[in-house]
Amino acid sequence: MIIRKLACTFGIISSFTPAFFFIFHLLFIILTSSCKNPEKQGLNEKPYFDLTSFFNGQITKLNHDSLIVIKTSAINGKTAEHRMNWTDWKREFVLFLESDINKSSLIGKYLIDTLGENNGAGMKIRYQAIDSLLRTRLLEVSFRDQAVKEIYIINKTSGFLSSSSENLLYHPLELYIIKTSTQNRFFGMNDFSVMGKITTKEKKYF
């Protein structure tokens, strides 16, 4: 209909057949679709490793296989170990999930290096922040035979009264380590670490 109105406007409708309008309409669709903003076309593509999707997949597997965690925690040097009969994996991985750098404001603010291992079977992708004000300073993802084998993250924040750092390590479906350190202007240094060993829940028959 739009094509016919345009043709009438230019006084050419009487000299073309319906086949012309079909061809003209097809060309119109092709041309307009090719002129779309390329930035909008790439909105669904992730510029960096997708931590959120990866850990959501891990959470699904952990819940499906009924795996639990044995946690060893240390607060300022005092350690304790306990076995969790039920694990909220989303809560356990919250610091990892909060370290996803796939935000529009972070595009172009990380240097990307790809490092290969000597035997050629593995590689590591390193995302290094170029801005010291960014919370996630380093993200390293190691692969073995195209599968993720290790994720290592360094987060840092600083303010007038306090500063903190987080070192996060994850081996898929095996273990995770979280080390945090907070320096407060008035209360000094506080260190906290936890290591979680992922294991199969023991079956109790009695």
Side-chain angles (χ1 to χ4, degrees):
M1 192 66 170
I2 295 175
I3 305 303
R4 286 185 176 274
K5 288 182 178 180
L6 288 172
C8 288
T9 302
F10 289 99
I12 58 174
I13 189 170
S14 59
S15 59
F16 293 97
T17 64
F20 164 81
F21 293 108
F22 173 78
I23 296 172
F24 190 89
H25 181 67
L26 184 61
L27 289 173
F28 179 79
I29 293 174
I30 294 172
L31 289 172
T32 54
S33 62
S34 64
C35 293
K36 290 181 179 179
N37 191 333
E39 292 182 358
K40 292 184 178 180
Q41 289 179 323
L43 283 177
N44 293 327
E45 298 177 2
K46 298 295 180 71
Y48 309 120
F49 179 79
D50 192 349
L51 273 180
T52 299
S53 295
F54 175 78
F55 275 98
N56 284 338
Q58 293 290 291
I59 291 169
T60 299
K61 291 180 181 179
L62 290 163
N63 287 331
H64 180 267
D65 294 338
S66 298
L67 298 177
I68 61 171
V69 64
I70 299 175
K71 296 176 72 173
T72 302
S73 58
I75 301 176
N76 295 329
K78 297 180 180 180
T79 63
E81 180 179 297
H82 61 281
R83 182 186 185 91
M84 300 177 65
N85 293 324
W86 180 83
T87 305
D88 183 347
W89 291 108
K90 191 168 186 177
R91 183 176 179 179
E92 291 296 304
F93 294 147
V94 64
L95 292 180
F96 291 92
L97 290 165
E98 289 177 350
S99 302
D100 195 339
I101 59 177
N102 282 292
K103 302 177 178 67
S104 58
S105 60
L106 300 180
I107 295 176
K109 294 188 177 182
Y110 286 87
L111 295 176
I112 305 174
D113 290 324
T114 302
L115 310 173
E117 296 183 2
N118 293 332
N119 57 14
M123 73 171 197
K124 179 186 294 183
I125 300 178
R126 176 183 296 158
Y127 305 92
Q128 182 82 46
I130 60 177
D131 187 345
S132 61
L133 297 178
L134 296 179
R135 175 177 177 270
T136 299
R137 304 293 178 84
L138 178 70
L139 167 61
E140 289 183 345
V141 186
S142 298
F143 298 85
R144 173 73 64 176
D145 297 326
Q146 299 183 345
V148 175
K149 290 301 178 184
E150 181 181 283
I151 292 176
Y152 177 61
I153 300 169
I154 297 178
N155 293 325
K156 291 185 179 181
T157 58
S158 61
F160 176 72
L161 295 177
S162 65
S163 60
S164 64
S165 63
E166 299 169 353
N167 288 63
L168 315 176
L169 179 71
Y170 180 65
H171 289 184
L173 307 180
E174 293 181 5
L175 67 84
Y176 60 93
I177 298 174
I178 298 171
K179 293 182 178 181
T180 65
S181 180
T182 303
Q183 175 70 51
N184 188 280
R185 184 182 292 269
F186 301 108
F187 302 105
M189 179 75 74
N190 283 304
D191 294 321
F192 170 78
S193 65
V194 60
M195 180 177 69
K197 293 182 179 179
I198 299 170
T199 185
T200 303
K201 186 175 183 180
E202 293 181 357
K203 294 182 179 180
K204 296 183 178 180
Y205 299 97
F206 302 100

